[in-house]
Amino acid sequence: MSRIAAVAPALPPYAYTQDEITAELAPLITPDAASPRRAVLERLHAAAGVSTRHLAMPLERYRDLTTFGQANDLFISVGLDLAEQAVRDALKVSGLVPEDIDHIFFTSVTGISAPSLDALLVPRLGMRSDVRRVPVFGLGCVAGAAGIARVHDYLLGHPDDVAVLVSVELCSLTLQRDDDSMANLVSSGLFGDGAAAVVMVGDRRAAAGGLTGPDVVGTASRLYPDTEGLLGWDVGGTGFRIVLSASLADVVERHLGEDVERLLEAHGLAPADVDTWVAHTGGPRVLEAVQRTLGLEAHDLQLSRQSLDRVGNLSSSAVLHVLADTLAAGTAPPGGTGVLFAMGPGICAELVLLSWPED
């Protein structure tokens, strides 16, 4: 097994209400105030289940964000600062230092950099020069869960090691002007900016260092056929243009329950044995589909809905923010079982089975 020793969320300092964001972005996306699409945008923003969001820069500066180059430069500078903050906070909670890190898994789907942000973090944090790095692009919203799963895979073979998962998502920088497609109207009201870091350790390192936290017991990956056109990016001269199908929730409802049951059965468990659910904040319709397919009560997804309301959907960072809230709440019972999961382009799902130690 591996152990999650600490999770630290990070958010940009610029926070705005949903109404403020709608008022500022609506003229950029639907310039004609009398257009029916403006009314659709306002209705979708109001129904997104989001009250506030944090943005990479002051809201009024988005009027001047006109090129992909501008947006990507901001992704690198702001993203690096948020990544540093998240890793430092997570290390502080775990009692570890940058020199302890043996492996870093970095993920984002809202900007690109070469060297990747994880490489830029190494000298800034003072990590060792022999740290192993895996930067990943393209997993999208699923990458928070997938990152935990892949770090777990690494730690199974390196039980004395310390690994860090870093997620940075600056979704607002992908803003598409003059694009009144339904996908852009929905996404402009749903996604926020943020980052997160997760410190994980192999089982021998956990025992030797007295590090506490939930253990990763098992993982599962699923890629659903004939769904590749439902979620992702069209990349062009204006940057990342979102692909977002209304049928995403239907795919979740059709498959997720069976996938969770299969993972639990492999470990002699059933959904009724799960005490804690850590769900990606995909949006109101996705969370409703999750609740139905898993047969959950509304309170089982309360932390996910609260996170969505407070910061929006943070893509790969979203489920990690919910995990941080879960650990901070301290409601998982000793010896309890949890399931963390997210969905992303593919369409795919990643599931992580967690167990809280008895003592």
Side-chain angles (χ1 to χ4, degrees):
M1 293 189 293
S2 64
R3 176 161 293 179
I4 296 173
V7 183
L11 294 165
Y14 308 108
Y16 300 92
T17 68
Q18 183 78 321
D19 289 343
E20 290 173 320
I21 294 173
T22 301
E24 183 67 30
L25 297 189
L28 304 181
I29 298 170
T30 55
D32 183 0
S35 166
R37 301 302 279 181
R38 174 70 67 86
V40 173
L41 179 147
E42 293 170 349
R43 176 174 57 81
L44 290 171
H45 281 214
V50 178
S51 294
T52 57
R53 283 183 280 167
H54 291 248
L55 303 180
M57 60 182 180
L59 183 55
E60 64 274 10
R61 286 184 57 190
Y62 286 84
R63 303 173 198 173
D64 302 319
L65 188 66
T66 57
T67 70
F68 176 52
Q70 290 174 321
N72 203 65
D73 287 346
L74 283 165
F75 169 81
I76 295 170
S77 61
V78 176
L80 185 58
D81 288 343
L82 286 174
E84 179 184 4
Q85 176 188 334
V87 174
R88 288 194 186 279
D89 289 348
L91 288 171
K92 183 177 180 180
V93 171
S94 67
L96 298 169
V97 296
E99 292 89 344
D100 291 322
I101 299 172
D102 301 293
H103 177 87
I104 184 167
F105 184 105
F106 172 77
T107 186
S108 181
V109 75
T110 52
I112 54 175
S113 174
S116 51
L117 292 191
D118 52 289
L120 301 178
L121 269 179
V122 171
R124 183 180 282 209
L125 285 170
M127 286 185 276
R128 305 192 317 266
S129 61
D130 65 345
V131 64
R132 296 177 173 91
R133 299 183 300 109
V134 179
V136 173
F137 178 90
L139 285 173
C141 294
V142 80
I148 289 176
R150 300 292 80 78
V151 171
H152 168 72
D153 293 342
Y154 169 82
L155 290 171
L156 288 179
H158 300 83
D160 298 302
D161 280 9
V162 174
V164 175
L165 163 64
V166 183
S167 161
V168 173
E169 301 291 9
L170 303 183
C171 305
S172 71
L173 299 180
T174 69
L175 174 69
Q176 294 294 300
R177 305 166 72 99
D178 301 322
D179 176 7
D180 65 358
S181 66
M182 188 61 72
N184 195 46
L185 299 185
V186 171
S187 67
S188 65
L190 179 63
F191 290 94
D193 296 346
V198 183
V199 175
M200 297 176 61
V201 294
D203 55 3
R204 288 207 298 252
R205 184 61 178 257
L211 297 169
T212 61
D215 292 321
V216 177
V217 178
T219 68
S221 304
R222 284 295 308 276
L223 187 62
Y224 305 125
D226 303 319
T227 61
E228 59 272 12
L230 301 183
L231 181 64
W233 296 121
D234 281 336
V235 184
T238 59
F240 301 128
R241 184 174 183 271
I242 195 163
V243 176
L244 180 62
S245 171
S247 61
L248 174 60
D250 298 329
V251 175
V252 171
E253 188 163 0
R254 189 179 311 124
H255 295 289
L256 183 64
E258 179 180 308
D259 294 337
V260 170
E261 288 179 0
R262 186 180 297 112
L263 173 62
L264 291 171
E265 286 173 1
H267 296 271
L269 299 167
D273 299 315
V274 178
D275 307 289
T276 303
W277 298 93
V278 184
H280 167 62
T281 57
R285 288 195 63 218
V286 169
L287 287 173
E288 289 165 6
V290 167
Q291 185 174 329
R292 286 193 297 268
T293 192
L294 295 177
L296 304 180
E297 300 295 331
H299 66 81
D300 292 316
L301 301 179
Q302 180 180 2
L303 291 181
S304 292
R305 289 193 170 96
Q306 288 176 347
S307 182
L308 177 65
D309 177 72
R310 189 172 64 250
V311 298
N313 181 341
L314 302 179
S315 190
S316 69
S317 299
V319 75
L320 304 181
H321 277 240
V322 179
L323 178 59
D325 292 343
T326 300
L327 298 181
T331 54
T337 296
V339 174
L340 178 148
F341 58 89
M343 293 70 63
I347 287 177
C348 62
E350 288 282 343
L351 316 174
V352 179
L353 180 60
L354 302 172
S355 177
W356 274 259
E358 290 284 356
D359 50 9

